[in-house]
Each structure stands twice: as C-alpha cells, then as structure tokens.
Amino acid sequence: QVQLVESGGGSVQAGGSLRLSCTASGDGTKRLHMSWFRQAPGKGREAIGCIYSPGRPTYYVDSVKDRFTIGPDSAPNSVYLQMNNLKPEDTATYYCAAILRASFQTCTSGLTAPSRLPYWGQGTQVTVSS
C-alpha cells in the first residue's frame, strides 16, 4: 500500500510564498497520479490541481492557476506545491492525495471524484495573515 506525508506548511503574511511537499512511500509509488486539495475552516474540500506520473502533465483549477505550481520534487516519489502571492483566503489545511495511475486515464478524474482517491496524507496547515 501507499502512504503519503505532507510537509512545508506554516504561517506567512499575505503576498508571501510557501512550498509544500508530498512524499509517497510503499509499493507502487512510481506509478501514481498525485493531487492537491485544501479545506478552509468551515468549508468543504476544494481541489487545487494534480500531476500525472511519470509523464508529468499538470492541471490547475482556475482560481489558483496564476499563483500555484505543481511539479516533481528532487527527492524520489515526491511532488511539490509552490504557492506564491498568498492571500488570507488561502488559509486552509492542505492535503496530498494519490491513486495508482492505472485506475484513471488522467489525474483530473481524481479532482472531480476525490472519494475515489484511496491514498491521503494527514494534511499540513497553511495560515496567511493580512
């Protein structure tokens, strides 16, 4: 089975940047679609984007496309979420999720049906102050 661990969360002032990382371990870690989600206090889970591995095309929702970037980290079986020009409304718990790429043709299937993603990290908190 696959386990995911997020890191890099913290507190930052508006306009600042943070880089989150998600590392996968276990069998099948080289054959994953990986996705990022967030959940703000009192709100539902929101998709951010995803990356297909090993081909590595990426997708972002329109609300973060100009500010957030997903890509492979230098460490094995790791992906990052680079967040620039952070805003107070970005305050949320950020989650990494994954599925074996054989299950979906594209990683966006997981963004629209997150309940089908079997692997989730514990989340990392991001707080943006004005």
Side-chain angles (χ1 to χ4, degrees), residues 6-14 16-21 36 81 83 86-88 90-94 122-129:
E6 304 99 333
S7 62
S11 298
V12 64
Q13 293 185 354
S17 299
L18 284 174
R19 183 183 175 98
L20 309 183
S21 182
W36 286 96
L81 174 63
M83 303 184 292
L86 284 162
K87 304 175 181 180
D90 294 320
T91 295
T93 301
Y94 285 71
Q122 81 288 349
T124 185
Q125 179 66 39
V126 172
T127 302
V128 184
S129 60

Side-chain angles (χ1 to χ4, degrees), residues 6-104:
E6 304 99 333
S7 62
S11 298
V12 64
Q13 293 185 354
S17 299
L18 284 174
R19 183 183 175 98
L20 309 183
S21 182
C22 174
T23 300
S25 62
D27 293 341
T29 56
K30 297 181 180 180
R31 301 179 179 180
L32 298 171
H33 297 305
M34 302 187 75
S35 306
W36 286 96
F37 296 82
R38 67 184 181 184
Q39 186 166 15
K43 297 184 178 180
R45 181 171 50 196
E46 178 187 14
I48 297 172
C50 62
I51 181 170
Y52 174 84
S53 181
R56 297 172 178 174
T58 55
Y59 172 84
Y60 310 92
V61 298
D62 290 341
S63 61
V64 303
K65 185 177 181 180
D66 295 335
R67 299 184 295 119
F68 291 9
T69 303
I70 298 170
D73 250 338
S74 58
N77 306 317
S78 297
V79 298
Y80 68 80
L81 174 63
Q82 179 68 42
M83 303 184 292
N84 298 323
N85 191 24
L86 284 162
K87 304 175 181 180
E89 51 264 41
D90 294 320
T91 295
T93 301
Y94 285 71
Y95 297 91
C96 177
I99 189 171
L100 295 176
R101 71 174 190 264
S103 300
F104 289 152

Side-chain angles (χ1 to χ4, degrees), residues 97-122:
I99 189 171
L100 295 176
R101 71 174 190 264
S103 300
F104 289 152
Q105 183 177 4
T106 173
C107 70
T108 57
S109 295
L111 300 181
T112 59
S115 63
R116 297 181 62 186
L117 296 171
Y119 308 116
W120 290 81
Q122 81 288 349

